[in-house]
Amino acid sequence: TLQKRFVQERRKFGPLGWNIPYGFDDGDLRISVRQLQMFVNENDMIPFAALKYATGECNYGGRVTDDKDRRLLNTLLDQVYCQDIMKPSFNLSASGNYYVPPAGDHASYLDFIAKLPPNQTPEVFGLHDNADITKDAADTTQLLNALLLTGARSGGGSAKSEEKLVAGIVADTLKSLPADFDVEAATTKYPVLYEESMNQVLCQEMLRYNKLLRIVRTSLQNLDKAIQGLQVMSSDLEQVFRNLVIGAVPAMWKGSSFPCLKGLVGYVQELLDRLAMLQNWYEKGAPVVFWVSGFFFTPAFLTAGLQNFARANNIPIDEVDYDLKVMGMDVVKFTTKPKSGVYIKGLFVEGCGYDIDKQILCESAPKVLHVAAPMFWLEAKHITNLAEFPHYNCPVYRTADRRGVLATTGHSTNFLRFMRFPSAHPEHHWTLRGVCMLCSLPE
């Protein structure tokens, strides 16, 4: 029953609880209870491994499609399907408010349930107390978005004032957009080289951003003409108009854009920052420390770093991986490139905090939902030379939504990779906390 409430109630915490909100139901509980009874009655010793497999891979696990969610489910089962649960008053939560009641009759169990706290805190589900803030903020955002859509459909406000507002947004945005990248010049300056795969990354990134820039610029130019009466206001332009009125990113842009959960102002600013990063790269050469969040297709950048190392050392690329080293918060002091791999910055930690002095993960401060991650050295190594140290295998996502389309790699398109972040706590602690790193924060 605890497991059922755990998997169902964590859904209200959004991506912090589950990457995908699965439809667990009473059927999953009934079959798990029957199997538990059968395994206990038919065996001299409780087969915890078999119970865990049946529940985590078949009953509840049969619905789970995301491998990070499956890791969370199995982590929960490790906490309850273990020998320690046979001990008296085995704690099911860190506070000790929830524990296995002593053996007794039906009335004693009812009395035990009646004494449980009336309101469940996030710690029951393995989460930090800040998870309540995340949940409430998501509920508020959902409500406000619904009100915005209602207001847009009802046509409240003067049409003239809306047109004036949108015309100003269009003019300001068009003025801020730089010209398209000269990809031909970039290809000449940074040609395809066997020993330097980053050249290809730069040129491919420029091509992707050029496509997005053309869509943004063309849609705004056509919308400006439509507002002036020089062009027909098509349904697509009407949708762009309505999005700009409420400060949302037009769906027309999102179809060819990098993932971003920010509103219009934050999105445009992030786009300009990304374009400036590539322009600086083109003019001054590859940076010493890469802003990893600024790439349109980050996997290409990460693969290029491995490819450079593999080619320089005559090693197959599938035998090479990154070893993460925390380099602190001061980016300015790094003026030369690493001997192998890449320096990266720009990530954020969600679900916990970061201890600057000890350079490890720590519990979140009250009311602090995200903290800036330190600069990292992704040191390329042969997989047999990867260092061993206490760590949490931290997933890195592009946005706080965490959910994406299942790609051919078997992972979500929102997922980048796992990074081994130093930690004094065991891995299951941060797994239950829903800890991850993000490339971009919502507003």
Side-chain angles (χ1 to χ4, degrees):
T1 303
L2 170 73
Q3 174 190 315
K4 180 175 185 292
R5 301 318 307 167
F6 181 97
V7 298
Q8 287 192 326
E9 294 298 324
R10 273 186 75 108
R11 291 184 299 183
K12 67 184 181 183
F13 296 101
L16 204 60
W18 295 100
N19 288 358
I20 300 172
Y22 303 99
F24 301 114
D25 56 31
D26 291 341
D28 301 318
L29 174 62
R30 283 195 297 270
I31 187 62
S32 296
V33 170
R34 289 172 185 170
Q35 288 176 343
L36 174 61
Q37 183 181 29
M38 180 185 69
F39 279 120
V40 170
N41 292 338
E42 296 181 1
N43 292 274
D44 295 331
M45 298 184 65
I46 300 176
F48 290 110
L51 282 169
K52 179 184 173 184
Y53 183 85
T55 307
E57 301 294 336
C58 302
N59 305 338
Y60 286 90
R63 300 180 184 273
V64 177
T65 56
D66 187 280
D67 63 316
K68 275 70 69 182
D69 287 339
R70 187 176 296 278
R71 180 177 72 160
L72 170 62
L73 179 60
N74 286 325
T75 299
L76 163 67
L77 295 176
D78 285 337
Q79 308 304 304
V80 294
Y81 284 158
C82 63
Q83 195 64 43
D84 287 344
I85 202 169
M86 308 301 295
K87 297 178 180 179
S89 301
F90 175 74
N91 281 333
L92 297 171
S93 67
S95 66
N97 291 331
Y98 295 84
Y99 57 91
V100 177
D105 56 17
H106 183 259
S108 67
Y109 293 141
L110 292 179
D111 182 59
F112 172 81
I113 293 171
K115 292 179 181 178
L116 292 175
N119 298 316
Q120 293 81 29
T121 58
E123 65 103 14
V124 181
F125 313 108
L127 298 166
H128 190 273
D129 288 343
N130 286 349
D132 267 339
I133 302 175
T134 303
K135 174 179 69 68
D136 294 341
D139 292 342
T140 303
T141 300
Q142 186 177 8
L143 174 61
L144 293 176
N145 287 339
L147 291 174
L148 283 173
L149 289 174
T150 303
R153 290 190 184 119
S154 63
S158 167
K160 289 292 184 182
S161 63
E162 287 185 350
E163 289 181 359
K164 185 177 180 181
L165 170 66
V166 173
I169 294 173
V170 169
D172 291 342
T173 306
L174 284 174
K175 184 179 178 181
S176 65
L177 292 179
D180 289 358
F181 291 113
D182 188 341
V183 180
E184 186 175 346
T187 304
T188 302
K189 187 175 182 179
Y190 298 95
V192 177
L193 296 175
Y194 179 82
E195 63 275 8
E196 185 50 85
S197 300
M198 289 296 178
N199 290 357
Q200 276 294 93
V201 173
L202 173 63
C203 297
Q204 289 172 0
E205 287 290 304
M206 285 182 168
L207 284 171
R208 295 185 183 100
Y209 279 110
N210 274 354
K211 179 182 177 182
L212 175 59
L213 271 174
R214 284 192 290 270
I215 292 174
V216 173
R217 185 180 287 108
T218 302
S219 64
L220 292 177
Q221 290 172 342
N222 291 338
L223 180 59
D224 186 47
K225 293 177 182 177
I227 291 174
Q228 297 179 47
L230 303 176
Q231 180 176 322
V232 175
M233 179 74 81
S234 65
S235 59
D236 288 339
L237 290 179
E238 174 68 22
Q239 187 60 47
V240 173
F241 181 91
R242 302 283 8 139
N243 288 141
L244 297 185
V245 167
I246 62 176
V249 180
M252 182 185 294
W253 301 0
K254 289 182 179 180
S256 299
S257 174
F258 52 88
C260 183
L261 300 180
K262 296 178 180 178
L264 180 64
V265 175
Y267 175 86
V268 172
Q269 184 57 55
E270 184 170 330
L271 173 60
L272 296 177
D273 291 341
R274 289 166 176 254
L275 298 175
M277 179 195 73
L278 294 182
Q279 186 63 35
N280 287 335
W281 186 346
Y282 170 74
E283 294 175 355
K284 303 176 182 179
V288 174
V289 182
F290 289 92
W291 179 38
V292 70
S293 305
F295 289 95
F296 200 112
F297 188 62
T298 313
F301 161 72
L302 296 174
T303 302
L306 294 175
Q307 197 169 50
N308 284 345
F309 176 80
R311 288 176 173 176
N313 294 275
N314 247 355
I315 303 173
I317 193 169
D318 57 353
E319 296 181 9
V320 176
D321 202 358
Y322 285 124
D323 217 356
L324 182 141
K325 291 187 177 180
V326 178
M327 306 304 290
M329 306 298 290
D330 188 5
V331 178
V332 180
K333 69 179 183 181
F334 293 90
T335 56
T336 57
K337 296 180 181 180
K339 59 183 180 181
S340 68
V342 290
Y343 290 139
I344 63 169
K345 64 177 182 177
L347 295 175
F348 302 90
V349 180
E350 181 179 48
C352 72
Y354 170 67
D355 189 319
I356 296 178
D357 296 327
K358 296 180 180 179
Q359 296 189 336
I360 60 174
L361 295 176
C362 64
E363 294 293 354
S364 299
K367 301 181 182 180
V368 178
L369 305 183
H370 305 94
V371 295
M375 172 186 152
F376 296 115
W377 177 15
L378 298 184
E379 184 181 5
K381 289 183 177 181
H382 193 278
I383 54 177
T384 58
N385 297 326
L386 297 178
E388 291 295 332
F389 57 91
H391 68 274
Y392 165 62
N393 211 21
C394 185
V396 183
Y397 297 95
R398 303 178 76 178
T399 68
D401 197 34
R402 303 196 189 187
R403 187 170 34 165
V405 179
L406 190 64
T408 54
T409 58
H411 295 288
S412 160
T413 51
N414 206 331
F415 173 77
L416 288 182
R417 64 173 289 120
F418 285 106
M419 291 188 182
R420 301 190 303 160
F421 208 122
S423 169
H425 289 282
E427 182 153 352
H428 70 80
H429 178 81
W430 301 123
T431 301
L432 293 175
R433 284 279 195 267
V435 173
C436 74
M437 285 194 287
L438 306 172
C439 290
S440 176
L441 296 179
E443 288 183 322

